[in-house]
Amino acid sequence: MKSASGVPAYRRVLLKLSGEALMGADAYGINREVLARIAAEVKSVADIGVQLAIVIGGGNIFRGIAPSAQGMDRASADYMGMLATIMNSLALQDALEKQGVSVRVQSALRVDQVVEPYVRRRAIRHLEQGRVVIFAAGTGNPFFTTDTAATLRGAEIGANVVLKATKVDGVYDRDPVKHADAKRYETISYDEVLDKRLGVMDAASIVMCRDQNLTVRVFSIHKPGNLMRVCLGENVGTLVSSAAGMPRLRT
Ligand code: UDP
């Protein structure tokens, strides 16, 4: 599905950025250089007319299942995680605005003095007006992840694809960090991801993608220019879809 040069392959995309993507090589928090680079990539695709909504994680600050949350009431810990995503959203909003991008943050938890509440129709209106929309606070519910929020929001706004930006350049048959001979899939079906328990996104979000027939592209955000390549329809990373047949392993 490669488009003509410079013409986006998608009208509307949902980009899922993990909190860790903002961390760079740091051990915690937000690396401002990395943030500025990601903002520049987002701007480049917004500039060619792609309507861009972003769900951002919080793992660089806090996760409900983190060791530091052990012994805590899980729901409380998860609310802390959701609050972390609001902090990341504000940081990304700031970085985007510094580069002249028009952007709104909408939160699934109400923090009215800081960001808009999530209102689906208003979010779609922002996108139609060419504004980047950042969805903060995940789904607003504990016991979920921002991957599920990405699928949920992607389905709600009618995104053509969910772009899952990660540290690795796609879905592998084994953990590529531990196994040098791990092979990357070019395409794989939702069911294969579930059956093989590949840790690309959590099972709840993959099931929702399957039910909504929402395609996911998994790619590395650390390779400069990748977001643009993906938005131009290039075959970057791994495509997760309902496509029948055997998963295609890259040789
Ligand atoms: N979280 C939650 N409900 C949601 C989304 C997130 O409770 O709908 C909490 C959960 O504790 C999670 C944390 O927020 O661990 C940060 O989100 P996530 O782990 O998905 O961030 P990422 O791994 O993408 O940085």
Side-chain angles (χ1 to χ4, degrees), residues 16 18-19 57-59 62-64 78 81-82 138-139 141-146:
K16 162 69 208 298
S18 70
F62 196 83
R63 277 204 182 94
D78 278 342
M82 286 184 264
T139 63
N141 302 291
F143 308 106
F144 285 94
T145 67
T146 50

Side-chain angles (χ1 to χ4, degrees), residues 102-129:
S102 183
V103 49
R104 296 287 186 278
V105 179
Q106 292 200 343
S107 173
L109 294 175
R110 298 198 68 139
V111 205
D112 293 351
Q113 283 85 350
V114 186
V115 293
E116 292 180 10
Y118 172 65
V119 178
R120 174 178 166 265
R121 292 176 70 98
R122 193 189 287 176
I124 290 172
R125 181 90 182 118
H126 287 320
L127 293 168
E128 287 169 348
Q129 299 280 312

Side-chain angles (χ1 to χ4, degrees), residues 75-86:
S76 297
D78 278 342
Y79 280 113
M80 288 175 68
M82 286 184 264
L83 293 173
T85 72
I86 300 177

Side-chain angles (χ1 to χ4, degrees), residues 171-174 185 188 192-193 196-201:
V171 181
Y172 282 76
D173 59 346
R174 284 180 293 169
Y185 293 97
I188 190 165
E192 287 282 339
V193 170
K196 294 184 192 302
R197 296 174 180 265
L198 301 172
V200 40
M201 286 167 96

Side-chain angles (χ1 to χ4, degrees), residues 10-15 51-53 120 124 127 135 150-163 212-215:
Y10 307 109
R11 190 173 81 91
R12 184 175 291 165
V13 304
L14 189 299
L15 172 66
Q51 295 182 17
L52 206 88
R120 174 178 166 265
I124 290 172
L127 293 168
F135 294 125
T151 308
L152 177 65
R153 297 292 182 243
E156 283 188 86
I157 64 167
N160 306 122
V161 66
V162 170
L163 305 179
Q212 302 305 321
N213 203 14
L214 189 54
T215 302

